[in-house]
Amino acid sequence: MSKLLIVGSVAFDAIETPFGKTDKILGGAAPYIALSASQFDIESAIISIIGDDFPEEYLEMLRSRNVDTSAIERVEGGKTFFWRGKYHNDMNSRDTLETQLNVLGDFNPIVPDAYKNVDIVMLGNLHPLVQLGVLEQMTTKPKLAVLDTMNFWMDNALEDLKKVIAHVDVITINDEEARQLSGEYSLVKAARVIEDMGPAYIVIKKGEHGAFLFHKGQVFFAPALPLEEVFDPTGAGDTFAGGFTGYLAKTEDLSFENMKKAIIHASNLASFSVEKFGTERMQHLEKEEVQKRLYQFKELTQFEIELS
Amino acid sequence: MSKLLIVGSVAFDAIETPFGKTDKILGGAAPYIALSASQFDIESAIISIIGDDFPEEYLEMLRSRNVDTSAIERVEGGKTFFWRGKYHNDMNSRDTLETQLNVLGDFNPIVPDAYKNVDIVMLGNLHPLVQLGVLEQMTTKPKLAVLDTMNFWMDNALEDLKKVIAHVDVITINDEEARQLSGEYSLVKAARVIEDMGPAYIVIKKGEHGAFLFHKGQVFFAPALPLEEVFDPTGAGDTFAGGFTGYLAKTEDLSFENMKKAIIHASNLASFSVEKFGTERMQHLEKEEVQKRLYQFKELTQFEIELS
């Protein structure tokens, strides 16, 4: 079993969907990633930054899941990153109503000594130079560095983004971002262009339409489980990333065949995340539920066809 | 092996895509369905109507594939149905530039005696009362009646559409149409509502995002094969329907397990159809290519996960 090092925002979110709205609740990429990865009973650590308004109980909840929170810097007199957003009726698009960067604006990540030689690093969505800064502090090159990013950095820090992309093994982005980054509409072509930028594995997420894993001309696809209702899509991509890296940390097998399994586990966990507001569903997720839904994934996708 | 009875338009299409444009070429639901189904070496017949402007060579091409064309009524002095359309850059939406209904406006389908007791009927997209009229002429209730339709009939002939829906076993529609017909946004809920209207099997097509098969609380999903380029999406849905019914006619097994295979074959054949203009790719498709791509479908979707 490998340790998993997670870099990402820790935040307050205020979310409005057609089903209701929340006050400030636990948000940010890192808690979603860590909660999802914790389903595999691994050890992980979060590198992040918070203000003194951040409740200790959230950190305790994470620690109770074997998440080392000692590298989450608490800034006295500072305020935690805050995002407020509203989803449209189709749940596929949202408006950002408010963003307060707060302490995240001066985030200078410091990798704890105990995590400078971990095998797997998950770089959650942040400024590319922050992501790169983490990689540069590693004393041993990780066996697997996974990068999540978004169109905001393509618009505002493309050269920095390309630098960090050149240093990672896996990139996870959504279909529109893959098109923007590559300049290709076809996802097959887009993946090839992005592979040439550095990463050997390209994960293209299509939300409710599933996710592709591209690698050297091979391709694997996992659908999203069709749900009665999507309640709150916030954090689905981070939950996916946490499931993907958590499973790989647990199994220590970085073959393409095992990455297929990781993608299925990732999709499975993401399907739970969207069923309640924020991290609520992931905080109370039972192993039996996860297993049951994995069985549904098999039923959904597996078939027998004789090839001549 | 069962015979397959196909009802659908036979048409001229003029198509413009970002890759080029065509003059009047062979189009209409029935030729796409029949060409696709012919991959399974079955006997089929088309019920349709054409004008005296329709080239005999198209009919000969169909007959050379074991498609009985004797019930394609040729109207002397009449003109064949004509559609002109233009696809947008993303290939997911198109504008209809011209529609000449011509002889299709007075189409009164007559089922030949030799086909009044076939096991499988494929009702291609047409006025619901035409589709119903075909079912009413059957002397023996088919084992499987499959209905394709579109939003136009939901807007303009909903009550007639509901009548024919109540009489079929399978309905194939796209995701937006499923939402419109059911009034439900969630496809899981939409399928349940439509199942209550009559069909035991609901196929929801999502174009490049694949297709679902719903049946009594069970669900199966086939992705679309990720392609380098989609050249012309015209007829992909009809090719899918032809592959689905052709495989079932060939195997004579109407179980849910076998329908899963039929959905995979359908998706596989549709992936070829979009690679050239009109029916061109399907007219020259070799069995070896089909087998090779089926293997790609397995690679794309199959995984091994141990369930505890």
Side-chain angles (χ1 to χ4, degrees):
Chain A
M1 194 179 316
S2 303
K3 283 184 186 171
L4 175 64
L5 180 61
I6 300 163
V7 192
S9 57
V10 173
F12 291 126
D13 286 348
I15 303 162
E16 189 172 341
T17 79
F19 299 103
K21 60 189 292 186
T22 69
D23 283 330
K24 287 183 175 185
I25 58 172
L26 175 61
Y32 282 104
I33 293 168
L35 278 170
S36 183
S38 77
Q39 280 291 325
F40 301 100
D41 299 319
I42 58 165
E43 279 180 64
S44 67
I46 292 176
I47 303 180
S48 193
I49 191 166
I50 52 177
D52 62 9
D53 55 349
F54 193 81
E56 185 62 23
E57 63 181 270
Y58 287 155
L59 299 178
E60 267 165 30
M61 182 274 292
L62 289 167
R63 284 192 291 268
S64 75
R65 315 233 162 191
N66 254 337
V67 182
D68 185 336
T69 63
S70 60
I72 301 180
E73 183 188 349
R74 181 187 285 274
V75 179
E76 293 308 319
K79 287 180 75 181
T80 302
F81 174 55
F82 172 62
W83 175 80
R84 183 193 299 276
K86 180 178 176 174
Y87 288 88
H88 301 163
N89 279 334
D90 67 1
M91 289 291 193
N92 285 322
S93 54
R94 67 184 187 189
D95 293 328
T96 289
L97 303 178
E98 192 177 350
T99 303
Q100 295 178 12
L101 210 51
N102 297 334
V103 294
L104 200 64
D106 297 312
F107 180 34
N108 190 11
I110 296 170
V111 179
D113 287 340
Y115 281 84
K116 281 186 174 165
N117 61 350
V118 298
D119 289 340
I120 304 188
V121 178
M122 176 66 229
L123 303 168
N125 175 43
L126 278 174
H127 194 295
L129 290 184
V130 172
Q131 296 174 317
L132 194 61
V134 168
L135 288 185
E136 285 170 346
Q137 291 174 55
M138 304 300 287
T139 52
T140 317
K141 185 175 155 52
K143 289 185 183 155
L144 196 78
V146 181
L147 177 83
D148 189 38
T149 188
M150 67 184 295
N151 52 1
F152 181 82
W153 309 114
M154 298 172 196
D155 294 334
N156 296 292
L158 184 60
E159 289 315 307
D160 295 333
L161 180 60
K162 283 185 176 169
K163 271 183 215 156
V164 65
I165 286 176
H167 283 82
V168 299
D169 306 286
V170 184
I171 182 172
T172 75
I173 46 178
N174 74 30
D175 44 358
E176 284 318 306
E177 290 159 353
R179 287 174 172 137
Q180 180 176 348
L181 184 60
S182 67
E184 291 285 353
Y185 185 80
S186 154
L187 296 181
V188 176
K189 290 184 177 176
R192 204 181 296 138
V193 169
I194 298 169
E195 215 171 313
D196 285 341
M197 296 179 179
Y201 301 88
I202 317 294
V203 176
I204 299 183
K205 299 171 290 180
K206 301 197 296 173
E208 63 165 324
H209 299 304
F212 284 112
L213 170 65
F214 291 94
H215 173 60
K216 292 189 178 172
Q218 300 175 87
V219 54
F220 179 69
F221 176 78
L225 201 73
L227 297 170
E228 294 261 331
E229 213 68 85
V230 171
F231 191 81
D232 171 19
T234 311
D238 299 312
T239 303
F240 182 97
F244 181 71
T245 47
Y247 181 77
L248 295 175
K250 168 83 168 187
T251 53
E252 293 189 306
D253 173 355
L254 302 178
S255 67
F256 185 67
E257 280 307 309
N258 200 51
M259 282 203 193
K260 290 184 180 180
K261 300 184 195 183
I263 290 283
I264 293 291
H265 282 286
S267 300
N268 191 39
L269 289 167
S271 78
F272 289 103
S273 180
V274 302
E275 291 185 328
K276 292 195 175 171
F277 271 129
T279 60
E280 192 184 339
R281 188 73 172 96
M282 298 309 288
Q283 284 190 44
H284 302 101
L285 186 57
E286 303 286 339
K287 291 218 160 42
E288 292 70 26
E289 299 175 283
V290 176
Q291 282 293 315
K292 194 175 163 193
R293 203 168 276 188
L294 269 181
Y295 178 79
Q296 288 180 270
F297 260 92
K298 286 192 92 156
E299 292 288 298
L300 180 66
T301 56
Q302 303 303 286
F303 59 86
E304 294 292 331
I305 282 187
E306 307 70 36
L307 300 175
S308 57
Chain B
M1 198 178 315
S2 304
K3 285 184 186 170
L4 176 64
L5 180 61
I6 299 162
V7 192
S9 57
V10 173
F12 290 126
D13 285 348
I15 302 164
E16 189 173 341
T17 79
F19 300 103
K21 59 189 292 185
T22 69
D23 283 330
K24 286 183 175 188
I25 58 172
L26 174 61
Y32 282 104
I33 293 169
L35 279 170
S36 184
S38 77
Q39 280 291 325
F40 301 100
D41 299 319
I42 59 165
E43 279 181 64
S44 67
I46 292 175
I47 303 180
S48 194
I49 190 164
I50 53 179
D52 61 9
D53 54 350
F54 194 82
E56 186 63 22
E57 64 183 88
Y58 288 155
L59 299 178
E60 268 165 30
M61 183 275 293
L62 289 167
R63 283 192 292 267
S64 75
R65 314 233 163 191
N66 254 336
V67 182
D68 184 337
T69 63
S70 60
I72 301 179
E73 182 188 349
R74 182 187 283 275
V75 180
E76 294 308 318
K79 289 181 73 180
T80 302
F81 174 54
F82 172 62
W83 176 81
R84 183 192 299 276
K86 181 178 176 173
Y87 288 88
H88 301 163
N89 279 334
D90 67 1
M91 288 289 193
N92 284 322
S93 53
R94 67 184 187 191
D95 292 327
T96 290
L97 302 178
E98 192 177 351
T99 303
Q100 295 178 13
L101 210 50
N102 296 335
V103 294
L104 200 63
D106 296 312
F107 180 34
N108 191 11
I110 295 169
V111 180
D113 286 340
Y115 281 84
K116 281 186 174 165
N117 60 351
V118 298
D119 288 340
I120 304 188
V121 178
M122 177 65 227
L123 303 168
N125 175 43
L126 278 174
H127 194 295
L129 290 184
V130 172
Q131 296 174 316
L132 195 62
V134 169
L135 288 185
E136 285 171 346
Q137 290 173 55
M138 304 300 287
T139 52
T140 317
K141 184 176 157 49
K143 287 183 184 158
L144 196 78
V146 181
L147 177 84
D148 190 37
T149 188
M150 68 184 296
N151 51 2
F152 181 82
W153 309 115
M154 296 173 198
D155 294 335
N156 297 292
L158 184 58
E159 290 314 306
D160 295 333
L161 180 59
K162 284 185 175 171
K163 270 182 215 157
V164 66
I165 288 176
H167 283 83
V168 299
D169 305 288
V170 184
I171 183 171
T172 75
I173 45 179
N174 74 29
D175 44 357
E176 284 318 307
E177 291 159 352
R179 287 172 173 139
Q180 180 176 349
L181 184 60
S182 66
E184 292 284 352
Y185 186 80
S186 153
L187 296 181
V188 176
K189 290 184 178 176
R192 204 181 297 140
V193 169
I194 298 169
E195 216 171 312
D196 285 342
M197 295 178 179
Y201 300 88
I202 317 295
V203 175
I204 299 182
K205 299 172 290 183
K206 301 198 297 173
E208 63 164 324
H209 299 305
F212 283 112
L213 170 65
F214 290 95
H215 173 60
K216 292 189 178 171
Q218 299 175 88
V219 54
F220 180 69
F221 176 78
L225 202 74
L227 297 171
E228 294 262 332
E229 215 67 84
V230 171
F231 191 82
D232 172 19
T234 310
D238 299 311
T239 304
F240 182 96
F244 181 71
T245 48
Y247 180 77
L248 294 175
K250 167 81 165 188
T251 54
E252 294 190 304
D253 172 354
L254 302 178
S255 67
F256 184 68
E257 281 307 309
N258 200 51
M259 282 203 192
K260 290 183 180 181
K261 300 184 194 181
I263 291 283
I264 293 291
H265 282 285
S267 301
N268 192 38
L269 290 167
S271 79
F272 288 104
S273 180
V274 303
E275 290 185 328
K276 292 195 175 172
F277 272 128
T279 60
E280 193 184 339
R281 188 72 172 97
M282 298 309 289
Q283 284 190 44
H284 302 101
L285 186 58
E286 303 287 340
K287 290 218 162 42
E288 292 69 26
E289 300 176 282
V290 176
Q291 282 293 316
K292 193 173 163 195
R293 203 167 278 188
L294 269 181
Y295 178 79
Q296 289 180 272
F297 260 93
K298 287 192 91 156
E299 291 289 298
L300 180 66
T301 57
Q302 303 301 285
F303 59 86
E304 293 292 330
I305 281 187
E306 307 71 34
L307 299 174
S308 56

